[in-house]
Amino acid sequence: PREEIAYVTCTYRETCFDQPDFLATIDLDPRSPCYGQVIHRLPMPNLKDELHASGFSSACACSDGATKRTKLILPCLISSRIYVVDVSSECRAPKICKMIEPVDVFWTCDKGYLNVPRSLPSGDVLIANLGDPAGNAKGGFIVLDGETFELKGNWEEECQVPPGGYDFWIQPCQNVLVSSAGVIPKLSGRRFCPEDFNKGIYARRLSVWNLSCRTVTQCFDMGEDSLPLSVKFLHRPNAAEGYVGCALSGIVYRIFKYNWAVEEAIRIPPKEVSGWIMCKMPAFTADIIISSDDKYLYLSNWLHGDIRQYDICDTRRPRLVGQVFVGGSILRGGPVIVRRDEELKCQPEPLVVKCKRVYGGPSQMQLSLDGKRLYVTNSFYSTWDKELYPDVVREGSVMLQIDVDTEDGGLSVNKNFLVDFGEEPHGPCLAHSIHFPSGDSTT
């Protein structure tokens, strides 16, 4: 069925409004009088959590074939708190049903800076983390019981703790988990700083795990300051390949089973610019998504401002078939002048939707199950938003809908859809993760 509502995580951290983060429920039904509006807000009971990633407690990966999505897991990137939200009792007005305090996470797991949650085949919930409670680099995973949502402890063996973490994907039929590395929390928490390059702050490691043994079997060095973030596998149950987006190198790697190996699949060149914090602006792959039929890969380029659609019928040679700019740092009339561009002949025009100028660049995406509607928000991380896109912090995030040509490829902005988080009752906020209770291309 077509998605009718979406849950979007929203934060007030790094804004001038001392308000709690909240989970927004968005009306996506074109027949509804509230289409494209926030119809419910679930405020968190604490301040400055930084709601970031989210995920359902039960997904198609579960061994019993269950697809019920009754609980939404909200780990907090900064506070390390975990909220469990009941979305089944009243899906348009969800409620918090459990909260795990940071001190419990710290003492039980010696982990902090929580990010992506996904379901294990057992039904338990796995949550990736970026560091330890002090903000030092320390990756790995914590486990929640899939029924009670009690904290069970760490997933990996102590000797298997990776030096960093961010995102991961599970492929049960191949008995594999692939995880990416992020940044050192206590250092990246300052700002996006060019002086941090070549200092090991931006990670370079990709880890392949034996799912049943919970041990690392292979590691790949993706290059200095490559910052591998988003990991997605093909949806076919037996698929033994996927893609990893490296944020700062502009490279998307294909990972495949040949005793597991990686190869470059997509490369987005940097742009030579003036008026920016560096003379070369790298592509910043904030998110990648694979359509449910495994035909297309979508990529959000947070700094340059474009969303790209690649045909991956030949998985080794993705072919660019769609591209649309929805903001970014290189727009015409802005402070940045592009001096040399290997791809574009001129700087893109600013985007205006429903009389609102869209600032910032595309960050998190979600794709409908039929592949025809791609939704996108434009907050990546509040501290970096404030540094690189202060207009987004001042004006608030937006959520856009991109119409997709699923036959021949092609992307276009739906000019009749805009969720304006700058009009929130308590002031403009920053929107990030998107999920549909009816199912989407990442759950």
Side-chain angles (χ1 to χ4, degrees), residues 226-255:
S226 56
L227 193 57
L229 294 183
S230 186
V231 182
K232 299 292 189 298
F233 263 59
L234 300 182
H235 294 285
R236 293 195 312 273
N238 292 313
E241 59 182 324
Y243 296 91
V244 180
C246 293
L248 290 175
S249 68
I251 300 175
V252 176
Y253 289 94
R254 172 178 172 258
I255 180 168

PDB file of all heavy atoms in Angstrom, residues 226-255:
ATOM      1  N   SER A 226      38.384   8.913   4.113  1.00  0.00           N
ATOM      2  CA  SER A 226      37.310   8.582   3.165  1.00  0.00           C
ATOM      3  C   SER A 226      35.944   8.677   3.837  1.00  0.00           C
ATOM      4  O   SER A 226      34.950   8.996   3.215  1.00  0.00           O
ATOM      5  CB  SER A 226      37.516   7.174   2.597  1.00  0.00           C
ATOM      6  OG  SER A 226      37.611   6.216   3.645  1.00  0.00           O
ATOM      7  N   LEU A 227      35.884   8.408   5.137  1.00  0.00           N
ATOM      8  CA  LEU A 227      34.674   8.469   5.952  1.00  0.00           C
ATOM      9  C   LEU A 227      33.544   7.602   5.402  1.00  0.00           C
ATOM     10  O   LEU A 227      32.514   8.103   4.952  1.00  0.00           O
ATOM     11  CB  LEU A 227      34.190   9.922   6.106  1.00  0.00           C
ATOM     12  CG  LEU A 227      33.125  10.170   7.177  1.00  0.00           C
ATOM     13  CD1 LEU A 227      33.580   9.723   8.546  1.00  0.00           C
ATOM     14  CD2 LEU A 227      32.740  11.648   7.227  1.00  0.00           C
ATOM     15  N   PRO A 228      33.706   6.262   5.411  1.00  0.00           N
ATOM     16  CA  PRO A 228      32.605   5.380   5.004  1.00  0.00           C
ATOM     17  C   PRO A 228      31.437   5.495   5.981  1.00  0.00           C
ATOM     18  O   PRO A 228      31.617   5.332   7.186  1.00  0.00           O
ATOM     19  CB  PRO A 228      33.234   3.984   5.023  1.00  0.00           C
ATOM     20  CG  PRO A 228      34.406   4.105   5.950  1.00  0.00           C
ATOM     21  CD  PRO A 228      34.889   5.515   5.831  1.00  0.00           C
ATOM     22  N   LEU A 229      30.258   5.792   5.455  1.00  0.00           N
ATOM     23  CA  LEU A 229      29.082   5.969   6.308  1.00  0.00           C
ATOM     24  C   LEU A 229      27.979   4.977   5.966  1.00  0.00           C
ATOM     25  O   LEU A 229      27.803   3.975   6.624  1.00  0.00           O
ATOM     26  CB  LEU A 229      28.553   7.412   6.190  1.00  0.00           C
ATOM     27  CG  LEU A 229      29.445   8.541   6.713  1.00  0.00           C
ATOM     28  CD1 LEU A 229      28.731   9.884   6.584  1.00  0.00           C
ATOM     29  CD2 LEU A 229      29.847   8.301   8.152  1.00  0.00           C
ATOM     30  N   SER A 230      27.229   5.245   4.919  1.00  0.00           N
ATOM     31  CA  SER A 230      26.017   4.484   4.625  1.00  0.00           C
ATOM     32  C   SER A 230      26.342   3.133   3.995  1.00  0.00           C
ATOM     33  O   SER A 230      27.123   3.043   3.043  1.00  0.00           O
ATOM     34  CB  SER A 230      25.119   5.299   3.686  1.00  0.00           C
ATOM     35  OG  SER A 230      23.890   4.653   3.481  1.00  0.00           O
ATOM     36  N   VAL A 231      25.729   2.069   4.527  1.00  0.00           N
ATOM     37  CA  VAL A 231      25.899   0.704   4.011  1.00  0.00           C
ATOM     38  C   VAL A 231      24.527   0.150   3.640  1.00  0.00           C
ATOM     39  O   VAL A 231      23.615   0.146   4.464  1.00  0.00           O
ATOM     40  CB  VAL A 231      26.551  -0.214   5.066  1.00  0.00           C
ATOM     41  CG1 VAL A 231      26.759  -1.615   4.503  1.00  0.00           C
ATOM     42  CG2 VAL A 231      27.864   0.365   5.567  1.00  0.00           C
ATOM     43  N   LYS A 232      24.384  -0.297   2.405  1.00  0.00           N
ATOM     44  CA  LYS A 232      23.130  -0.906   1.963  1.00  0.00           C
ATOM     45  C   LYS A 232      23.431  -2.123   1.096  1.00  0.00           C
ATOM     46  O   LYS A 232      24.289  -2.073   0.211  1.00  0.00           O
ATOM     47  CB  LYS A 232      22.287   0.084   1.149  1.00  0.00           C
ATOM     48  CG  LYS A 232      21.861   1.344   1.906  1.00  0.00           C
ATOM     49  CD  LYS A 232      20.865   1.043   2.994  1.00  0.00           C
ATOM     50  CE  LYS A 232      20.269   2.320   3.596  1.00  0.00           C
ATOM     51  NZ  LYS A 232      21.278   3.185   4.229  1.00  0.00           N
ATOM     52  N   PHE A 233      22.693  -3.217   1.331  1.00  0.00           N
ATOM     53  CA  PHE A 233      22.808  -4.407   0.504  1.00  0.00           C
ATOM     54  C   PHE A 233      21.613  -4.493  -0.437  1.00  0.00           C
ATOM     55  O   PHE A 233      20.560  -3.873  -0.192  1.00  0.00           O
ATOM     56  CB  PHE A 233      22.865  -5.654   1.380  1.00  0.00           C
ATOM     57  CG  PHE A 233      24.257  -6.148   1.651  1.00  0.00           C
ATOM     58  CD1 PHE A 233      25.188  -5.328   2.270  1.00  0.00           C
ATOM     59  CD2 PHE A 233      24.642  -7.431   1.295  1.00  0.00           C
ATOM     60  CE1 PHE A 233      26.468  -5.771   2.522  1.00  0.00           C
ATOM     61  CE2 PHE A 233      25.919  -7.884   1.539  1.00  0.00           C
ATOM     62  CZ  PHE A 233      26.841  -7.056   2.156  1.00  0.00           C
ATOM     63  N   LEU A 234      21.760  -5.258  -1.509  1.00  0.00           N
ATOM     64  CA  LEU A 234      20.626  -5.548  -2.365  1.00  0.00           C
ATOM     65  C   LEU A 234      19.565  -6.273  -1.549  1.00  0.00           C
ATOM     66  O   LEU A 234      19.862  -6.935  -0.550  1.00  0.00           O
ATOM     67  CB  LEU A 234      21.045  -6.402  -3.561  1.00  0.00           C
ATOM     68  CG  LEU A 234      22.103  -5.799  -4.499  1.00  0.00           C
ATOM     69  CD1 LEU A 234      22.376  -6.758  -5.653  1.00  0.00           C
ATOM     70  CD2 LEU A 234      21.671  -4.447  -5.034  1.00  0.00           C
ATOM     71  N   HIS A 235      18.300  -6.174  -1.996  1.00  0.00           N
ATOM     72  CA  HIS A 235      17.197  -6.711  -1.204  1.00  0.00           C
ATOM     73  C   HIS A 235      16.919  -8.194  -1.453  1.00  0.00           C
ATOM     74  O   HIS A 235      16.195  -8.813  -0.672  1.00  0.00           O
ATOM     75  CB  HIS A 235      15.919  -5.909  -1.495  1.00  0.00           C
ATOM     76  CG  HIS A 235      15.992  -4.488  -1.025  1.00  0.00           C
ATOM     77  ND1 HIS A 235      15.885  -4.128   0.299  1.00  0.00           N
ATOM     78  CD2 HIS A 235      16.181  -3.327  -1.705  1.00  0.00           C
ATOM     79  CE1 HIS A 235      15.985  -2.810   0.414  1.00  0.00           C
ATOM     80  NE2 HIS A 235      16.168  -2.303  -0.781  1.00  0.00           N
ATOM     81  N   ARG A 236      17.423  -8.751  -2.529  1.00  0.00           N
ATOM     82  CA  ARG A 236      17.210 -10.178  -2.774  1.00  0.00           C
ATOM     83  C   ARG A 236      17.676 -10.969  -1.561  1.00  0.00           C
ATOM     84  O   ARG A 236      18.781 -10.732  -1.050  1.00  0.00           O
ATOM     85  CB  ARG A 236      17.977 -10.649  -4.008  1.00  0.00           C
ATOM     86  CG  ARG A 236      17.486 -10.082  -5.313  1.00  0.00           C
ATOM     87  CD  ARG A 236      18.043 -10.879  -6.502  1.00  0.00           C
ATOM     88  NE  ARG A 236      19.481 -11.099  -6.381  1.00  0.00           N
ATOM     89  CZ  ARG A 236      20.409 -10.253  -6.795  1.00  0.00           C
ATOM     90  NH1 ARG A 236      20.053  -9.094  -7.327  1.00  0.00           N
ATOM     91  NH2 ARG A 236      21.694 -10.541  -6.669  1.00  0.00           N
ATOM     92  N   PRO A 237      16.894 -11.939  -1.108  1.00  0.00           N
ATOM     93  CA  PRO A 237      17.246 -12.648   0.132  1.00  0.00           C
ATOM     94  C   PRO A 237      18.636 -13.274   0.121  1.00  0.00           C
ATOM     95  O   PRO A 237      19.302 -13.298   1.150  1.00  0.00           O
ATOM     96  CB  PRO A 237      16.157 -13.723   0.233  1.00  0.00           C
ATOM     97  CG  PRO A 237      14.990 -13.145  -0.493  1.00  0.00           C
ATOM     98  CD  PRO A 237      15.566 -12.340  -1.615  1.00  0.00           C
ATOM     99  N   ASN A 238      19.079 -13.764  -1.015  1.00  0.00           N
ATOM    100  CA  ASN A 238      20.381 -14.408  -1.082  1.00  0.00           C
ATOM    101  C   ASN A 238      21.467 -13.493  -1.627  1.00  0.00           C
ATOM    102  O   ASN A 238      22.572 -13.960  -1.920  1.00  0.00           O
ATOM    103  CB  ASN A 238      20.304 -15.670  -1.947  1.00  0.00           C
ATOM    104  CG  ASN A 238      19.463 -16.753  -1.287  1.00  0.00           C
ATOM    105  OD1 ASN A 238      19.628 -17.030  -0.107  1.00  0.00           O
ATOM    106  ND2 ASN A 238      18.551 -17.348  -2.034  1.00  0.00           N
ATOM    107  N   ALA A 239      21.167 -12.215  -1.783  1.00  0.00           N
ATOM    108  CA  ALA A 239      22.133 -11.294  -2.381  1.00  0.00           C
ATOM    109  C   ALA A 239      23.419 -11.250  -1.559  1.00  0.00           C
ATOM    110  O   ALA A 239      23.387 -11.153  -0.335  1.00  0.00           O
ATOM    111  CB  ALA A 239      21.544  -9.901  -2.484  1.00  0.00           C
ATOM    112  N   ALA A 240      24.522 -11.318  -2.264  1.00  0.00           N
ATOM    113  CA  ALA A 240      25.826 -11.294  -1.604  1.00  0.00           C
ATOM    114  C   ALA A 240      26.618 -10.083  -2.068  1.00  0.00           C
ATOM    115  O   ALA A 240      27.832 -10.154  -2.258  1.00  0.00           O
ATOM    116  CB  ALA A 240      26.594 -12.580  -1.890  1.00  0.00           C
ATOM    117  N   GLU A 241      25.918  -8.966  -2.243  1.00  0.00           N
ATOM    118  CA  GLU A 241      26.601  -7.742  -2.640  1.00  0.00           C
ATOM    119  C   GLU A 241      25.783  -6.527  -2.220  1.00  0.00           C
ATOM    120  O   GLU A 241      24.565  -6.592  -2.053  1.00  0.00           O
ATOM    121  CB  GLU A 241      26.859  -7.711  -4.147  1.00  0.00           C
ATOM    122  CG  GLU A 241      25.616  -7.801  -5.010  1.00  0.00           C
ATOM    123  CD  GLU A 241      25.949  -7.807  -6.490  1.00  0.00           C
ATOM    124  OE1 GLU A 241      26.907  -7.114  -6.894  1.00  0.00           O
ATOM    125  OE2 GLU A 241      25.254  -8.503  -7.239  1.00  0.00           O
ATOM    126  N   GLY A 242      26.490  -5.426  -2.049  1.00  0.00           N
ATOM    127  CA  GLY A 242      25.858  -4.180  -1.669  1.00  0.00           C
ATOM    128  C   GLY A 242      26.796  -3.027  -1.962  1.00  0.00           C
ATOM    129  O   GLY A 242      27.785  -3.181  -2.695  1.00  0.00           O
ATOM    130  N   TYR A 243      26.501  -1.869  -1.363  1.00  0.00           N
ATOM    131  CA  TYR A 243      27.283  -0.668  -1.644  1.00  0.00           C
ATOM    132  C   TYR A 243      27.568   0.080  -0.352  1.00  0.00           C
ATOM    133  O   TYR A 243      26.767   0.049   0.591  1.00  0.00           O
ATOM    134  CB  TYR A 243      26.541   0.250  -2.616  1.00  0.00           C
ATOM    135  CG  TYR A 243      26.338  -0.359  -3.987  1.00  0.00           C
ATOM    136  CD1 TYR A 243      25.193  -1.098  -4.275  1.00  0.00           C
ATOM    137  CD2 TYR A 243      27.296  -0.204  -4.988  1.00  0.00           C
ATOM    138  CE1 TYR A 243      25.007  -1.662  -5.524  1.00  0.00           C
ATOM    139  CE2 TYR A 243      27.122  -0.761  -6.241  1.00  0.00           C
ATOM    140  CZ  TYR A 243      25.978  -1.492  -6.510  1.00  0.00           C
ATOM    141  OH  TYR A 243      25.802  -2.058  -7.751  1.00  0.00           O
ATOM    142  N   VAL A 244      28.699   0.766  -0.334  1.00  0.00           N
ATOM    143  CA  VAL A 244      29.122   1.572   0.806  1.00  0.00           C
ATOM    144  C   VAL A 244      29.457   2.966   0.303  1.00  0.00           C
ATOM    145  O   VAL A 244      30.299   3.119  -0.595  1.00  0.00           O
ATOM    146  CB  VAL A 244      30.354   0.963   1.504  1.00  0.00           C
ATOM    147  CG1 VAL A 244      30.766   1.825   2.692  1.00  0.00           C
ATOM    148  CG2 VAL A 244      30.072  -0.460   1.939  1.00  0.00           C
ATOM    149  N   GLY A 245      28.810   3.980   0.848  1.00  0.00           N
ATOM    150  CA  GLY A 245      29.067   5.357   0.458  1.00  0.00           C
ATOM    151  C   GLY A 245      30.105   5.997   1.362  1.00  0.00           C
ATOM    152  O   GLY A 245      29.947   6.016   2.581  1.00  0.00           O
ATOM    153  N   CYS A 246      31.186   6.490   0.771  1.00  0.00           N
ATOM    154  CA  CYS A 246      32.234   7.175   1.528  1.00  0.00           C
ATOM    155  C   CYS A 246      32.023   8.676   1.392  1.00  0.00           C
ATOM    156  O   CYS A 246      32.148   9.244   0.301  1.00  0.00           O
ATOM    157  CB  CYS A 246      33.608   6.767   1.025  1.00  0.00           C
ATOM    158  SG  CYS A 246      33.998   5.034   1.346  1.00  0.00           S
ATOM    159  N   ALA A 247      31.729   9.318   2.512  1.00  0.00           N
ATOM    160  CA  ALA A 247      31.225  10.686   2.483  1.00  0.00           C
ATOM    161  C   ALA A 247      32.219  11.677   1.899  1.00  0.00           C
ATOM    162  O   ALA A 247      31.864  12.514   1.064  1.00  0.00           O
ATOM    163  CB  ALA A 247      30.820  11.121   3.890  1.00  0.00           C
ATOM    164  N   LEU A 248      33.477  11.608   2.317  1.00  0.00           N
ATOM    165  CA  LEU A 248      34.419  12.669   1.959  1.00  0.00           C
ATOM    166  C   LEU A 248      35.236  12.382   0.710  1.00  0.00           C
ATOM    167  O   LEU A 248      35.786  13.306   0.110  1.00  0.00           O
ATOM    168  CB  LEU A 248      35.348  12.952   3.136  1.00  0.00           C
ATOM    169  CG  LEU A 248      34.684  13.623   4.333  1.00  0.00           C
ATOM    170  CD1 LEU A 248      35.646  13.742   5.492  1.00  0.00           C
ATOM    171  CD2 LEU A 248      34.138  14.995   3.957  1.00  0.00           C
ATOM    172  N   SER A 249      35.327  11.130   0.305  1.00  0.00           N
ATOM    173  CA  SER A 249      36.071  10.820  -0.917  1.00  0.00           C
ATOM    174  C   SER A 249      35.192  10.912  -2.159  1.00  0.00           C
ATOM    175  O   SER A 249      35.702  10.967  -3.277  1.00  0.00           O
ATOM    176  CB  SER A 249      36.679   9.418  -0.821  1.00  0.00           C
ATOM    177  OG  SER A 249      35.664   8.430  -0.827  1.00  0.00           O
ATOM    178  N   GLY A 250      33.858  10.928  -1.965  1.00  0.00           N
ATOM    179  CA  GLY A 250      32.951  10.958  -3.110  1.00  0.00           C
ATOM    180  C   GLY A 250      32.889   9.638  -3.848  1.00  0.00           C
ATOM    181  O   GLY A 250      32.426   9.582  -4.998  1.00  0.00           O
ATOM    182  N   ILE A 251      33.313   8.558  -3.210  1.00  0.00           N
ATOM    183  CA  ILE A 251      33.333   7.248  -3.850  1.00  0.00           C
ATOM    184  C   ILE A 251      32.279   6.345  -3.215  1.00  0.00           C
ATOM    185  O   ILE A 251      32.105   6.334  -1.993  1.00  0.00           O
ATOM    186  CB  ILE A 251      34.716   6.583  -3.726  1.00  0.00           C
ATOM    187  CG1 ILE A 251      35.792   7.450  -4.385  1.00  0.00           C
ATOM    188  CG2 ILE A 251      34.722   5.192  -4.357  1.00  0.00           C
ATOM    189  CD1 ILE A 251      37.207   6.925  -4.203  1.00  0.00           C
ATOM    190  N   VAL A 252      31.562   5.614  -4.044  1.00  0.00           N
ATOM    191  CA  VAL A 252      30.690   4.532  -3.590  1.00  0.00           C
ATOM    192  C   VAL A 252      31.344   3.225  -4.017  1.00  0.00           C
ATOM    193  O   VAL A 252      31.626   3.027  -5.211  1.00  0.00           O
ATOM    194  CB  VAL A 252      29.270   4.648  -4.176  1.00  0.00           C
ATOM    195  CG1 VAL A 252      28.425   3.450  -3.752  1.00  0.00           C
ATOM    196  CG2 VAL A 252      28.608   5.947  -3.730  1.00  0.00           C
ATOM    197  N   TYR A 253      31.594   2.378  -3.051  1.00  0.00           N
ATOM    198  CA  TYR A 253      32.213   1.088  -3.331  1.00  0.00           C
ATOM    199  C   TYR A 253      31.158  -0.009  -3.389  1.00  0.00           C
ATOM    200  O   TYR A 253      30.187   0.011  -2.638  1.00  0.00           O
ATOM    201  CB  TYR A 253      33.239   0.724  -2.249  1.00  0.00           C
ATOM    202  CG  TYR A 253      34.495   1.568  -2.289  1.00  0.00           C
ATOM    203  CD1 TYR A 253      34.608   2.705  -1.502  1.00  0.00           C
ATOM    204  CD2 TYR A 253      35.568   1.205  -3.092  1.00  0.00           C
ATOM    205  CE1 TYR A 253      35.767   3.475  -1.517  1.00  0.00           C
ATOM    206  CE2 TYR A 253      36.725   1.968  -3.119  1.00  0.00           C
ATOM    207  CZ  TYR A 253      36.816   3.097  -2.340  1.00  0.00           C
ATOM    208  OH  TYR A 253      37.962   3.858  -2.366  1.00  0.00           O
ATOM    209  N   ARG A 254      31.381  -0.941  -4.264  1.00  0.00           N
ATOM    210  CA  ARG A 254      30.587  -2.170  -4.296  1.00  0.00           C
ATOM    211  C   ARG A 254      31.308  -3.204  -3.444  1.00  0.00           C
ATOM    212  O   ARG A 254      32.506  -3.431  -3.600  1.00  0.00           O
ATOM    213  CB  ARG A 254      30.451  -2.674  -5.730  1.00  0.00           C
ATOM    214  CG  ARG A 254      29.816  -4.057  -5.869  1.00  0.00           C
ATOM    215  CD  ARG A 254      29.682  -4.442  -7.331  1.00  0.00           C
ATOM    216  NE  ARG A 254      29.266  -5.822  -7.485  1.00  0.00           N
ATOM    217  CZ  ARG A 254      30.091  -6.831  -7.808  1.00  0.00           C
ATOM    218  NH1 ARG A 254      31.381  -6.580  -8.028  1.00  0.00           N
ATOM    219  NH2 ARG A 254      29.631  -8.053  -7.933  1.00  0.00           N
ATOM    220  N   ILE A 255      30.573  -3.812  -2.510  1.00  0.00           N
ATOM    221  CA  ILE A 255      31.126  -4.893  -1.718  1.00  0.00           C
ATOM    222  C   ILE A 255      30.439  -6.174  -2.142  1.00  0.00           C
ATOM    223  O   ILE A 255      29.212  -6.211  -2.315  1.00  0.00           O
ATOM    224  CB  ILE A 255      30.967  -4.641  -0.201  1.00  0.00           C
ATOM    225  CG1 ILE A 255      31.562  -5.811   0.590  1.00  0.00           C
ATOM    226  CG2 ILE A 255      29.509  -4.373   0.209  1.00  0.00           C
ATOM    227  CD1 ILE A 255      31.710  -5.540   2.070  1.00  0.00           C
TER     228      ILE A 255
END
